[in-house]
C-alpha cells in the first residue's frame, strides 16, 4: 500500500502526509478547530511547495477531504465557493484549450522574437510590458496560458532538435551534442527567467484596471466605479508600481541575481533560427491557411475580451469552435488533447476552494479585520494594505479581497449617521477599497498560492521542463515582492 500511495513520490513525503492525516485528528480535539484550521493551511501550502515531487491534487485533496470530515467546512459551503468562482473555472476549461489550437501562430511569432532580439534586457522588458498591457484589458490567467504555451512550444523545438541527428548550423557537430549539458541548463534558465518576468507582468497590469483580476470587478461593483473611474482611482499607486517593476526587470537582468540574467546560448540561437527558417520554407498552403485562421481568431479574441461581450470562459469556448471548424479539426480525440493541460489544475483549484471555505467558516481573518478597523482612520489604509498583502501570500488573493470588501461594505452600510457624515466616511471607504485592491494584487506575487496565474504556472507541464519549483518561484519573485509591495505601500501612505 505504501508503494502505491502517492505513486512515485519520495518515501519521506508519503510518511509526512500520513503523519499529517493522523495528527490532524488529534490536533482537532486537543487544540480546537481554529488552530487546526491554521495548521491545515500550512500543510496545504507544503503540498504546493512539493508540486514537482507530487502533483498537489492528491496530497492537497486528501487534506481537503479531511477538513470537511472534521467539520472545519461543509460541502455546501465549498460548492458556494465554487459557484462564486465559476467564471475562473470556465476560463481554465475553455480558454486554455482555445489557446492550445493557437500554438502554431504563437510559435511562429515568438520564435522570431526569441531569435531576432539579441538583448536579454530588451526581451525581458518586452515580456513584462506586453504581459502587463494584455492583463490590464484581458485576464491574467489567459495571458499566463499564452506565456506557458509559448514557452512549452519553444522548449519543444529545442527538444525536437536535441533528439534528432541533424546539423542545422553546419558546424560538422551533431546539434544534439551542441545542445546538451551546460547549453541545455542555460536554455532552461533563459526560459525560466522570461516566464517569471511575464507572470509578474500579469500582476503589474492586472492591478490597474477593472477587468484585470476577478477581485477588481467585485470591488468596482461594490464602489460603483466604471472602467475609467477605477483606473484613475488606482493610478496614483499602480502607475509608479509599474514603473518600479520595469526598473526591477532591468536591474535583475543587469546584475544577474535571484536566478535572472541567463542568455539564450549563441549555439542554440543559431540552430533554432536555422531550424525555424527551414520549417517556414517547408510550410504547405494548408499550414499557411491555418495560421491565417488562428490570426483572425486571435483578433476576434482580443476584440471580444476588450468589449466583454461574454464571460471569458464562454469566449474561450467560441474560440475553440471557430478555430476547429475552419481548420477541420473534428475528431473527438484531437479535441481532447486541448483539454489535458488545464483540467488537472481546474480540479486542484476546486480543492483549493475547500481550504478557502474553511478559512471563511472558521473566521480566521475576522480578528485581523476588526483590529484594523479599530485603528486611527489615517492609519487604516496602510494597515489594510499590509494585512491584505500578507494574507494573500498564504491564501487566495481573490478570496481575501472578497472577505475584506464585504466586511467593509457591511460596516459602511450599518453605520447610523447623517447624510453629511456618510459623505465624509465615503472618502475613507474608497481609500480602504483602493488599499484592498492593491494589497491583494501586489504583495501576493510572493508565493504561487497568492495568485491563480502563479499557481497555474507552478502546476503546468512547463514547470518540470524548466526546473521551476515552488521555492525557486518564491526566490525569483522576492525582489519584485519587496519593490512592488514597498512602492505600493508608499503610494498608499503618501498619495491617498
Amino acid at each position: 500500500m505504501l508503494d502505491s500511495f502517492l505513486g512515485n513520490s519520495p518515501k519521506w513525503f508519503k510518511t509526512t502526509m500520513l503523519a499529517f492525516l493522523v495528527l490532524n485528528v488529534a490536533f482537532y480535539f486537543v487544540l480546537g478547530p481554529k488552530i487546526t484550521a491554521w495548521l491545515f493551511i500550512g500543510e496545504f501550502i507544503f503540498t504546493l511547495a512539493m508540486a514537482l515531487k507530487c502533483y498537489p491534487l492528491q496530497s492537497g485533496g486528501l487534506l481537503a477531504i479531511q477538513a470537511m470530515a472534521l467539520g472545519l467546512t461543509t460541502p455546501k459551503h465549498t460548492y458556494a465557493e465554487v459557484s462564486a468562482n465559476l467564471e475562473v473555472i470556465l476560463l481554465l476549461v475553455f480558454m486554455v484549450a482555445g489557446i492550445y489550437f493557437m500554438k502554431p501562430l504563437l510559435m511562429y511569432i515568438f520564435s522570431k522574437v526569441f531569435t531576432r532580439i539579441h538583448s536579454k534586457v530588451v526581451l525581458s522588458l518586452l515580456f513584462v510590458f506586453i504581459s502587463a498591457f494584455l492583463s490590464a484589458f484581458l485576464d491574467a490567467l489567459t495571458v499566463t496560458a499564452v506565456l506557458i504555451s509559448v514557452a512549452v512550444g519553444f522548449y519543444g523545438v529545442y527538444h525536437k532538435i536535441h533528439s534528432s541527428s541533424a546539423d542545422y548550423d553546419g558546424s560538422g557537430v551533431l546539434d544534439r551534442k551542441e545542445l546538451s549539458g551546460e547549453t541545455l541548463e542555460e536554455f532552461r534558465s533563459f526560459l525560466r527567467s522570461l516566464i517569471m518576468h511575464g507572470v509578474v507582468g500579469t500582476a503589474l497590469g492586472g492591478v490597474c484596471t477593472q477587468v484585470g483580476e476577478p477581485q477588481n470587478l467585485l470591488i468596482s461593483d461594490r464602489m460603483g466605479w466604471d472602467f475609467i473611474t477605477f483606473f484613475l482611482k488606482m493610478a496614483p499607486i499602480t502607475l509608479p508600481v509599474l514603473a518600479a517593476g520595469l526598473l526591477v526587470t532591468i536591474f535583475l537582468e543587469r546584475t544577474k541575481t535571484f536566478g535572472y540574467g541567463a542568455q539564450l546560448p549563441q549555439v542554440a540561437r543559431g540552430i533554432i533560427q536555422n531550424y525555424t527558417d527551414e520549417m517556414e520554407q517547408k510550410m504547405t498552403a494548408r499550414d499557411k491557411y491555418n495560421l491565417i485562421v488562428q490570426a483572425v481568431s486571435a483578433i476576434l479574441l482580443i476584440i471580444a475580451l476588450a468589449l466583454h461581450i461574454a464571460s471569458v470562459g464562454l469566449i474561450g469556448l467560441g474560440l475553440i469552435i471557430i478555430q476547429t471548424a475552419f481548420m477541420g479539426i473534428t475528431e473527438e480525440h484531437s479535441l481532447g488533447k486541448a483539454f489535458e493541460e488545464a483540467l488537472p489544475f481546474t480540479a486542484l483549484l476546486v480543492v483549493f476552494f475547500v481550504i478557502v471555505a474553511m478559512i471563511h467558516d472558521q473566521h480566521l481573518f475576522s480578528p485581523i479585520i476588526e483590529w484594523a478597523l479599530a485603528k486611527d482612520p489615517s492609519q487604516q489604509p496602510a494597515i489594510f494594505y499590509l494585512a491584505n498583502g500578507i494574507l494573500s501570500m498564504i491564501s487566495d488573493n481573490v478570496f481575501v479581497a472578497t472577505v475584506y470588501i464585504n466586511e467593509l461594505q457591511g460596516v459602511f452600510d450599518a453605520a447610523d449617521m447623517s447624510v453629511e457624515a456618510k459623505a465624509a466616511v465615503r472618502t475613507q471607504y474608497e481609500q480602504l477599497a483602493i488599499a484592498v485592491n492593491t494589497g491583494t494584487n501586489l504583495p501576493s506575487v510572493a508565493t504561487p498560492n497568492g495568485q491563480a496565474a502563479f499557481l497555474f504556472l507552478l502546476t503546468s507541464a512547463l514547470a518540470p521542463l524548466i526546473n521551476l519549483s515552488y521555492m525557486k518561484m518564491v526566490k525569483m519573485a522576492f525582489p519584485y515582492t519587496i519593490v512592488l509591495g514597498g512602492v505600493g505601500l508608499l503610494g498608499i501612505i503618501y498619495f491617498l
Side-chain angles (χ1 to χ4, degrees):
M1 187 184 75
L2 190 62
D3 286 340
S4 297
F5 181 65
L6 297 182
N8 295 322
S9 306
K11 192 172 181 179
W12 66 265
F13 180 76
K14 297 180 181 185
T15 308
T16 303
M17 287 306 305
L18 287 172
F20 284 161
L21 294 171
V22 172
L23 291 173
N24 284 340
V25 179
F27 291 149
Y28 177 79
F29 290 105
V30 175
L31 302 176
K34 268 190 169 38
I35 295 176
T36 306
W38 278 110
L39 292 173
F40 265 99
I41 293 172
E43 292 165 8
F44 188 77
I45 291 172
F46 170 77
T47 66
L48 296 178
M50 295 294 108
L52 295 186
K53 301 290 184 185
C54 175
Y55 193 74
L57 176 62
Q58 289 75 30
S59 51
L62 288 172
L63 293 172
I65 291 170
Q66 188 177 45
M68 285 193 285
L70 290 173
L72 296 175
T73 187
T74 66
K76 184 179 179 181
H77 291 169
T78 300
Y79 184 79
E81 289 293 338
V82 173
S83 299
N85 290 277
L86 182 60
E87 190 166 342
V88 176
I89 292 171
L90 288 175
L91 183 154
L92 285 168
V93 173
F94 295 125
M95 184 59 77
V96 175
I99 298 299
Y100 172 88
F101 293 109
M102 214 177 279
K103 274 185 180 178
L105 175 68
L106 295 172
M107 279 308 304
Y108 180 79
I109 295 170
F110 279 93
S111 60
K112 294 187 181 299
V113 171
F114 279 137
T115 54
R116 300 296 195 271
I117 298 178
H118 290 253
S119 170
K120 179 68 184 305
V121 174
V122 173
L123 193 57
S124 300
L125 285 172
L126 186 68
F127 260 64
V128 174
F129 184 78
I130 289 177
S131 298
F133 181 79
L134 290 176
S135 295
F137 294 96
L138 308 181
D139 178 271
L141 266 175
T142 303
V143 177
T144 304
V146 172
L147 291 173
I148 291 171
S149 293
V150 168
V152 168
F154 200 53
Y155 187 91
V157 170
Y158 189 100
H159 181 70
K160 191 172 183 180
I161 300 169
H162 184 258
S163 304
S164 71
S165 301
D167 179 22
Y168 285 102
D169 61 348
S171 63
V173 180
L174 290 179
D175 292 337
R176 67 181 178 215
K177 290 186 177 180
E178 293 183 279
L179 296 180
S180 299
E182 289 184 12
T183 306
L184 177 58
E185 289 309 310
E186 186 78 3
F187 178 74
R188 282 173 170 160
S189 184
F190 167 79
L191 273 185
R192 195 163 55 235
S193 59
L194 278 183
I195 203 76
M196 281 302 294
H197 285 313
V199 291
V200 169
T202 65
L204 286 170
V207 68
C208 293
T209 64
Q210 181 187 27
V211 296
E213 293 280 355
Q215 68 266 35
N216 299 18
L217 276 170
L218 175 68
I219 291 169
S220 63
D221 179 62
R222 294 287 189 276
M223 304 306 297
W225 293 336
D226 58 20
F227 188 93
I228 299 298
T229 305
F230 186 96
F231 174 78
L232 293 176
K233 293 283 185 183
M234 300 297 162
I237 292 93
T238 56
L239 294 185
V241 167
L242 176 60
L246 294 172
L247 290 175
V248 172
T249 303
I250 297 170
F251 171 81
L252 291 172
E253 289 299 328
R254 292 290 189 198
T255 58
K256 300 186 176 181
T257 50
F258 293 96
Y260 294 94
Q263 302 286 331
L264 177 61
Q266 271 310 120
V267 61
R269 185 189 302 276
I271 291 170
I272 292 171
Q273 186 168 332
N274 290 337
Y275 170 80
T276 51
D277 288 345
E278 184 176 314
M279 290 299 103
E280 189 175 342
Q281 290 170 6
K282 290 181 178 178
M283 284 176 65
T284 64
R286 180 67 176 267
D287 293 331
K288 293 175 181 177
Y289 164 77
N290 286 346
L291 286 180
I292 293 171
V293 171
Q294 292 159 31
V296 172
S297 299
I299 293 168
L300 293 175
L301 171 65
I302 292 169
I303 293 171
L305 288 170
L307 297 177
H308 303 287
I309 62 173
S311 72
V312 180
L314 294 180
I315 293 172
L317 178 58
L319 182 67
I320 294 170
I321 293 168
I322 290 171
Q323 288 185 103
T324 55
F326 284 93
M327 291 193 295
I329 304 171
T330 55
E331 296 81 10
E332 186 178 355
H333 68 274
S334 299
L335 294 170
K337 292 176 183 177
F339 294 90
E340 290 176 3
E341 174 83 11
L343 284 182
F345 178 72
T346 307
L348 174 61
L349 199 63
V350 174
V351 167
F352 186 63
F353 291 144
V354 178
I355 305 301
V356 171
M358 179 191 72
I359 293 170
H360 187 266
D361 286 355
Q362 297 303 317
H363 308 288
L364 299 185
F365 295 167
S366 296
I368 303 170
I369 297 172
E370 291 166 5
W371 170 77
L373 285 171
K375 292 293 181 182
D376 184 86
S378 63
Q379 298 176 347
Q380 285 179 6
I383 292 172
F384 266 72
Y385 175 87
L386 289 171
N388 277 267
I390 293 168
L391 293 174
S392 293
M393 292 178 193
I394 61 174
S395 179
D396 171 47
N397 62 350
V398 178
F399 166 71
V400 174
T402 303
V403 171
Y404 268 77
I405 201 66
N406 286 341
E407 289 284 341
L408 283 175
Q409 186 182 29
V411 171
F412 181 74
D413 290 343
D416 186 17
M417 59 184 75
S418 65
V419 176
E420 293 78 8
K422 206 146 192 171
V425 173
R426 169 73 187 188
T427 303
Q428 178 72 5
Y429 182 31
E430 289 189 355
Q431 290 179 349
L432 293 179
I434 294 168
V436 169
N437 182 64
T438 51
T440 52
N441 275 299
L442 298 175
S444 58
V445 302
T447 63
N449 38 294
Q451 297 208 12
F454 280 58
L455 189 60
F456 185 37
L457 172 61
L458 175 67
T459 56
S460 69
L462 175 65
L465 298 179
I466 59 176
N467 294 333
L468 186 62
S469 64
Y470 186 99
M471 291 312 298
K472 199 164 281 185
M473 283 188 76
V474 171
K475 174 190 171 184
M476 296 182 78
F478 180 74
Y480 280 112
T481 304
I482 296 300
V483 174
L484 304 189
V487 173
L489 179 60
L490 291 174
I492 291 290
I493 294 170
Y494 293 106
F495 298 146
L496 275 188

